[in-house]
Amino acid sequence: MDPVRLSVLDRSRTREGHTHPEALRDTVRLAQELERLGYHRLWVSEHHGVPGVAGSAPTVLAAAVAGATRTIRVGTGGVMLPNHRPLVVAEQFGVLESLFPGRIDMGLGRSVGFTDGVRRALGRGKGDAEDFEAQLGELLGWFRGTSPTGVHARPVEGLTVPPFVLAMGEGAGIAARAGLPMVIGDLRNRDGMRRGIDHYREHFRPSAWAAEPYVVISGTIAVAGTPEEARRLLIPEAWSMAHSRTHGTFPPLPPAERVETGTMTAKERGFYESGLTGHIAGTEEQVAHELETVLKETGAQEVLVTTSTYDREALLDSYRRLAAITSG
């Protein structure tokens, strides 16, 4: 297949028998490996109060990743803007860009805390997500020095930190109106993804940040020596998602063999089986064919891989194989 710009979102997923600090260090080590493999970006995520995710402070983790690497772009996928004051977010990215010039991305999402308890702890409510477009405009204003408050953000003004909108819900329209690059998933909902991309391109307004639409498609991709091995990479996350849907909490990733030998209720089994379908997974030849098809359908300029699994060595092997088939 033709070469494609390839990036990774690592959510610092915790694993059974391992600690949250280990998960964060795993992310930093993964970034170093991805840099050697020629990946374009490594992004980190924001989750609060989730047992299965260690990444709660994405700009702090991004600083650690950038400090441990030299060339790979580093950013967030994303900072959930409704959880924060735009000035503080601008300052954090201004500091990152000042320390690691030309390597920082500002991926921004519109979700608020996952549960009522987390939202209360953050001092936010579900309705705060409705203000995302205004918050985004305020955030970008700090970089342009156009804040109406008379306050000047330091060291932000005049810096260029590429902003990306995570297109959840109304995100495609927001990204188009703001003239920003858009990240859209997931690969399991191809029709919805294409509709979002079409809407984005149709309504895109050129801006100081982007003269043309820029589309990043995101989703799970697993590559292994056999289709069965690739499918096993999907098992821990599929089980974890099924557990969260039936128990209300998102747990650490279990080993695939424990899931395969364990028992599930009929409801859990239904969510689990659903979680194994629709991803791009298989051998190099199978993944190359399916990924090429998706890229032709969407016209995307970049792929952001979001795979999580218990076996970190198998995950790294998958990334090696994927880099080889997408490098041309």
Side-chain angles (χ1 to χ4, degrees), residues 73-154:
R73 295 195 65 87
V74 179
T76 56
V79 166
M80 296 300 136
L81 195 51
N83 290 339
H84 311 280
R85 293 300 307 163
L87 171 60
V88 175
V89 175
E91 291 172 335
Q92 291 170 349
F93 279 99
V95 170
L96 283 170
E97 176 63 22
S98 298
L99 293 173
F100 308 102
R103 291 179 56 206
I104 301 300
D105 301 320
M106 186 166 57
L108 305 162
R110 63 191 296 267
S111 294
V112 290
F114 185 65
T115 65
D116 290 338
V118 169
R119 287 189 289 270
R120 285 194 298 271
L122 291 170
R124 296 293 186 267
K126 288 184 178 180
D128 287 305
E130 303 305 316
D131 296 328
F132 175 73
E133 192 162 7
Q135 295 162 349
L136 177 63
E138 181 182 342
L139 171 62
L140 300 180
W142 290 113
F143 286 88
R144 296 191 296 261
T146 58
S147 171
T149 64
V151 175
H152 294 273
R154 312 292 184 194

Side-chain angles (χ1 to χ4, degrees), residues 29-312:
R29 283 192 292 268
L30 178 63
Q32 294 170 323
E33 293 291 340
L34 294 174
E35 182 173 74
R36 282 191 279 271
L37 291 171
Y39 278 75
H40 187 59
R41 316 178 200 273
L42 184 285
W43 281 4
V44 296
S45 62
E46 176 183 341
H47 296 274
H48 300 283
V50 180
V53 181
S56 57
T59 53
V60 177
L61 183 53
V65 170
T69 54
R70 295 186 304 107
T71 58
I72 194 169
R73 295 195 65 87
V74 179
T76 56
V79 166
M80 296 300 136
L81 195 51
N83 290 339
H84 311 280
R85 293 300 307 163
L87 171 60
V88 175
V89 175
E91 291 172 335
Q92 291 170 349
F93 279 99
V95 170
L96 283 170
E97 176 63 22
S98 298
L99 293 173
F100 308 102
R103 291 179 56 206
I104 301 300
D105 301 320
M106 186 166 57
L108 305 162
R110 63 191 296 267
S111 294
V112 290
F114 185 65
T115 65
D116 290 338
V118 169
R119 287 189 289 270
R120 285 194 298 271
L122 291 170
R124 296 293 186 267
K126 288 184 178 180
D128 287 305
E130 303 305 316
D131 296 328
F132 175 73
E133 192 162 7
Q135 295 162 349
L136 177 63
E138 181 182 342
L139 171 62
L140 300 180
W142 290 113
F143 286 88
R144 296 191 296 261
T146 58
S147 171
T149 64
V151 175
H152 294 273
R154 312 292 184 194
V156 179
E157 286 186 20
L159 295 180
T160 300
V161 181
F164 294 74
V165 172
L166 276 60
M168 297 173 288
E170 301 175 5
I174 294 172
R177 289 190 293 273
L180 300 181
M182 177 185 72
V183 182
I184 188 166
D186 61 36
L187 294 172
R188 301 174 65 197
N189 181 10
R190 306 284 176 85
D191 290 340
M193 186 170 65
R194 285 193 296 267
R195 286 194 298 271
I197 292 171
D198 289 344
H199 180 87
Y200 168 70
R201 290 195 173 115
E202 181 181 351
H203 295 89
F204 182 85
R205 301 173 183 171
S207 71
W209 302 97
E212 299 177 346
Y214 187 90
V215 174
V216 183
I217 55 173
S218 67
T220 294
I221 302 176
V223 195
T226 67
E228 293 75 22
E229 290 173 334
R231 182 182 182 277
R232 292 191 90 241
L233 284 170
L234 307 177
I235 287 174
E237 184 75 5
W239 179 89
S240 186
M241 289 296 296
H243 184 90
S244 71
R245 297 282 182 86
T246 53
H247 294 77
T249 182
F250 199 59
L253 295 170
E257 54 268 23
R258 185 175 77 71
V259 177
E260 292 174 318
T261 58
T263 59
M264 300 182 203
T265 66
K267 188 175 183 180
E268 288 171 335
R269 176 68 62 179
F271 283 124
Y272 169 70
E273 295 293 345
S274 175
L276 291 172
T277 62
H279 306 292
I280 296 179
T283 64
E284 283 96 328
E285 184 178 359
Q286 292 170 323
V287 168
H289 173 73
E290 192 167 356
L291 186 55
E292 189 169 26
T293 298
V294 174
L295 289 169
K296 286 180 178 177
E297 290 176 352
T298 61
Q301 290 96 331
E302 186 171 342
V303 178
L304 181 70
V305 186
T306 62
T307 310
S308 296
T309 195
Y310 181 90
D311 188 336
R312 298 292 291 190

